[in-house]
Amino acid sequence: MQAYLKELESESIFILREIAAQFSNAVLLFSGGKDSILVSYLARKAFYPAPIPFKIMHVDTGHNFEETLTFRDEWVDYLKLDIIIASVQTAIDAGQVTEEKGYNASRNLLQTAVLLDYIEKYKFDAAIGGARRDEEKARAKERFFSHRDEFGQWNPKNQRAELWNIFNGKKAFGEHFRIFPISNWTELDVWEYLQAENVPLPSLYFSHEREMFYRGENLLTKSPFILMRPTETAQLMTVRFRTIGDISCTGGVVSNAKNIAEVIAELKISKTTERGTRADDQRSETAMEDRKKEGYF
């Protein structure tokens, strides 16, 4: 492993140990994507041979890729953890959230209310995520320890200074923190580390054939969860995914990269950002920041 990756690993492990030291009931948020895989892998390293001291939770939209759910269950078994499934479908059935309708409908936004409900239900005082500062401009405003008020909301102007790796986890009753141990990693760093450590990943990240269709510049999966317009036609294409989320808003990229080395080679010449394939981030220029202020990941 290259020296700079060891430094990033060391920093993230230090932060994970700080979480264990400062919080009594932290939860590791797990999407099944490479970043949450990395964070959970680092957590295993941070406390091995002791078990990971955090609960693990997946906010399940009900519109996930089957490959993601299969990998999620296999990975949780590997980590020897019991997983909490926070179900968006259950919240819809209970009338807690209202599902969007129409061609651009997505359950991605509905995850916020479900996440906040489960944080309150289990009284979590910290929620650990895999966000990175290079993903999107709103992410770049985050600290490692990102304060949330009693309503789970984020105020980018109300963040604590983090000088000399000193993290302030003090909070009032009902408040909690979102904590991002891999904030200083880039997408390329994540891939190079996963390659060096030979960490398994969902097959969605690598080239495969799938029925896809274009909606504007987004390449979406033909699925019963997406209402296609009469003018939209699906065709079999060779693609992979750079992010893994709700099918309705997760775009693919045309690619022949069948392994991590080939993915890395692609990334080094790519002219688009990782979240440039996410339709939910394109609803407005401040889409991510607006969601985060309401309590999104």
Side-chain angles (χ1 to χ4, degrees):
M1 191 189 302
Q2 296 184 59
Y4 79 94
L5 291 177
K6 287 185 177 292
E7 290 181 10
L8 288 171
E9 177 191 64
S10 178
E11 177 184 61
S12 298
I13 286 175
F14 170 74
I15 292 163
L16 286 161
R17 289 172 178 165
E18 277 292 299
I19 298 168
Q22 294 197 40
F23 299 93
S24 60
N25 190 26
V27 63
L28 198 162
L29 303 177
F30 187 80
S31 68
K34 66 184 184 310
D35 297 326
S36 61
I37 292 168
L38 171 61
V39 174
S40 58
Y41 180 83
L42 291 169
R44 183 174 182 270
K45 267 197 168 187
F47 302 101
Y48 188 84
I52 296 173
F54 315 125
K55 294 182 176 65
I56 189 167
M57 182 168 74
H58 177 215
V59 181
D60 184 355
T61 66
H63 288 177
N64 292 290
F65 292 94
E66 283 298 323
E67 295 92 334
T68 303
L69 298 180
T70 299
F71 183 89
R72 178 199 69 188
D73 295 340
E74 292 172 349
W75 187 247
V76 169
D77 286 343
Y78 168 73
L79 295 176
K80 296 181 173 59
L81 293 173
D82 293 326
I83 189 168
I84 299 167
I85 305 297
S87 171
V88 171
Q89 183 62 58
T90 298
I92 292 171
D93 295 341
Q96 295 175 320
V97 295
T98 302
E99 187 162 18
E100 293 181 343
K101 304 295 181 183
Y103 293 114
N104 295 313
S106 171
R107 289 188 174 183
N108 202 45
L109 295 174
L110 306 185
Q111 295 179 89
T112 298
V114 175
L115 172 62
L116 293 176
D117 183 54
Y118 271 73
I119 287 174
E120 173 62 25
K121 177 181 178 180
Y122 286 92
K123 306 301 180 185
F124 293 128
D125 54 4
I128 307 163
R132 306 184 323 271
R133 287 175 182 160
D134 73 319
E135 283 183 83
E136 201 271 345
K137 57 188 177 182
R139 301 282 204 204
K141 297 180 181 180
E142 291 279 19
R143 301 290 194 268
F144 283 104
F145 278 36
S146 183
H147 176 264
R148 296 298 194 270
D149 66 18
E150 65 271 28
F151 302 106
Q153 297 176 329
W154 173 65
N155 181 354
K157 296 181 180 180
N158 184 28
Q159 299 297 304
R160 284 101 184 262
E162 293 180 340
L163 306 175
W164 306 293
N165 285 337
I166 297 175
F167 301 106
N168 182 357
K170 291 184 178 181
K171 61 180 183 58
F173 180 79
E175 298 176 344
H176 73 277
F177 278 80
R178 305 288 173 82
I179 304 179
F180 307 106
I182 62 169
S183 287
N184 283 337
W185 298 58
T186 67
E187 182 185 9
L188 188 58
D189 294 334
V190 172
W191 278 107
E192 290 183 334
Y193 182 87
L194 296 173
Q195 181 185 43
E197 293 287 285
N198 196 28
V199 179
L201 291 164
S203 59
L204 287 168
Y205 280 118
F206 307 107
S207 174
H208 61 283
E209 287 192 336
R210 185 179 293 268
E211 281 195 283
M212 308 290 290
F213 69 96
Y214 278 102
R215 177 167 291 174
E217 296 182 358
N218 294 319
L219 187 57
L220 299 176
T221 302
K222 182 182 179 183
S223 164
F225 304 138
I226 302 178
L227 181 63
M228 294 177 63
R229 294 183 173 89
T231 56
E232 293 172 335
T233 304
Q235 57 181 309
L236 195 64
M237 303 178 71
T238 302
V239 299
R240 69 176 186 87
F241 294 85
R242 289 177 70 180
T243 67
I244 294 179
D246 190 84
I247 287 178
S248 62
C249 61
T250 302
V253 293
V254 176
S255 172
N256 291 311
K258 294 182 173 61
N259 54 55
I260 293 184
E262 292 177 355
V263 169
I264 290 172
E266 272 191 3
L267 288 178
K268 288 181 176 179
I269 60 172
S270 176
K271 301 298 182 183
T272 59
T273 65
E274 179 181 7
R275 293 194 69 92
T277 61
R278 293 293 292 266
D280 52 321
D281 286 354
Q282 298 168 17
R283 294 191 175 195
S284 73
E285 287 189 4
T286 60
M288 172 64 83
E289 184 160 338
D290 293 341
R291 294 201 306 274
K292 285 176 65 61
K293 288 179 179 178
E294 294 173 358
Y296 188 74
F297 304 105

